[in-house]
Amino acid sequence: MSQNSARRRRTKFNLGAEQAEVDKKLLRSAFYESDDYVSIADKEDHHCFLVARTGSGKSAALQQLEADFPGHVVRINPEDLSLPYITNSRVIRFLDDLDVSLDPLFIALWKHVLLVELIRHRYKVDSQDAKTNIMATLREKIKKDPGKRAALDYLEEFQGRFWIETDLRIKEVTEKFEERIDQETKGNINLSGQAGASLGMTSGDTYSSEVRTELADRFQKIVNDQQMARLNKMMKVLDEDILASRHDFRYVVIDDLDRDWVDEKLLNSLIRCLLRAVLDLQRIDNLKVVVALRTNIFEQLDFGHRSGGQEEKFRSLVLRMRWTPSDLEELVSERLRVASASTGPQMNSIYDVLPRTHRSRSDAFQYMLQRTLMRPRDIIAFLNEALTASPEDGTLTWDDIKSAEEEYSHKRLLALRDEWKTNYPEIDRLFYLFRGATLPLTQSDFTYILENAITHPSFNSVSWLHELTAAVYSYSEGTWVDWYGPLVTLLYNIGFIGCLTGRRSDFRFAHDYPDFAERSRSLESVTHFTVHPAFRVGLDTRLDNSWR
C-alpha cells in the first residue's frame, strides 16, 4: 500500500466533528447523556437558561432534545425573526437616542413570537383554513370567559396572515408600532420647529434637554402600551386551554444568540428582554423554554439597569454546563465505540487507543485532559489531531500525542481569540506577549508582561484594555490587586492563565475554580502565574526545571 493511500485510510478514523451538532449522525448514535442534559430534559426542572463556554455542548444538547421528544420541541431561530429589521428601524433608533426604554416593546415582541409559534406548532396551523378552524375551536372552549374572549381578539388582528413566516409577523407588529409613533409625532409634537416633521430624520441628541424630556415622556407611554394586557391574558389561554394537559407539553429551544444577527448596541436589550419574557412564562405548567447563551454574552447583560431588580431570579434559573474528567472520558469512549464499529476492530474505551501509562508523563488521557479547558470540543480536537497521524489501526503512541499537541495548541489559541474577540478586540495580541516565557511567572515577571501591553503605543487603540487598567494610568494609591486585578481576572476567567497560592498547592484554573479571581483576597494570595497547558506549546513557553 502506498504512503498516500495509508494516509487516506488513517484520516477516515476519528471521533467525529468538534462541533457535535454538525455531525448529526454520530450525535444520534453516540450522544452522552450527562447530568446537565438530564436537567434540560426534565419537565419539572426549573433551569431554563443554559449558559456555557463555546464548545461545551449546548447546541448538541438541544438537538438531542429534539430527537428524544419528537413533535414536542419548538425551535426558534433568531435569524428568522427579522430582528435586524427592528434595530435598523428609524423609529427604534430615534427612541433609543432619546433614552426611551424599549424593554416593554421587546418583551411584547418575544411573547408574541413564543405565543404564535406555540399555537402554530400545537395545532399544525399552516393555512388560512387551519387558522380559521382552530380559532373557532378556541372560541368555543373559552366562550364563557369574557377576559379570554377579549384576549383572543389579539390574534384576530392578524387576519389572514397568522400562519405566515415569523419574520413577516414581526415586521407587521413593528410597523404598527411605528405607525403609532408617527401619528403621535404628526398630531401633537413639533419637531425642529415644524409640526408633523418626519420622525427619524434627525437624531434625538440634537434636541435640548427640555425637549428631549418631553419627547421621551410622550413616547414612553406609547412603548409601555404594547398590547401587554391582552398578551398576558393570551398566556392564560395558552396555559389553561392550549397546553392544557401533560400530553400537550412543549419545549421551546432558542439557540445561536451569539451570531452576528443584530445590531450590537441593542443586542443586550433584546436578549435581556427575552430572558424577562421567559421568566414570565414559567407559570405555564406544560411549557419549558430553554435559552442557550454563551458565558460571555450572559455575563455582559445589564440585569441591574432595567430588569426590575430581578437579577437574582435570572441567575437562579441558570444551568451552567460543566464537565468532569469522568464525563469526558465517557463521552469520547462512546464516540469511539460508534466510530470504530464501522472500521474495526471494535473499541469500547478511549484507553483502547491510548498508550500505556508513562513513568514521567503519567496517564495519557489525563495528560490530554490537562491541556483542555474541560470541554468536549477541546478533547475531541486533541484526539482527532493525534489520530490523524496514528497508524492504520488507530492506536496512539506518546510520540503521536506530542506531535499532535503543537498543531492542537496553535488552534486552541485561535479558538480562544475567536471566542472573545467580540468582547475584547485584538485580545490575541495580549496572548502573544507571553511567547517564549519561562513558567511559572512570579508576580513581578507577570506584571512586567502586563505593563508591556499597558504602556506600548501599539495598544493605545485597545479601549477595553485602557478601561481595565485605568487605575494604573491614574497613578492613584492602591494595591497591586487594585491596579492589575481587573486584567488578571479577565485572563483567568477566559481560561488563559492559572494562579498558584502556595508552592505546595496546585495551580488553579477557571474550569475547576470558576469564582476564584472574583475575590480580591484570592488574588492577593497568588504567588505565581502560569499559562494554561492548552496554549503553552502554541506560545513556545518553557517550564522552569525546578518546577517539573
Side-chain angles (χ1 to χ4, degrees), residues 90 181-191 195-199:
R90 60 183 175 81
I181 295 293
D182 277 336
Q183 288 171 2
E184 176 71 13
T185 302
K186 292 176 181 178
N188 300 298
I189 297 177
N190 189 322
L191 293 176
S198 178
L199 186 65

Side-chain angles (χ1 to χ4, degrees), residues 116-117 120 160-169 172:
V116 175
E117 287 305 309
R120 277 165 41 100
R161 292 188 281 179
F162 184 83
W163 73 90
I164 60 177
E165 293 300 319
T166 309
D167 62 331
L168 297 179
R169 277 186 271 112
E172 183 177 12

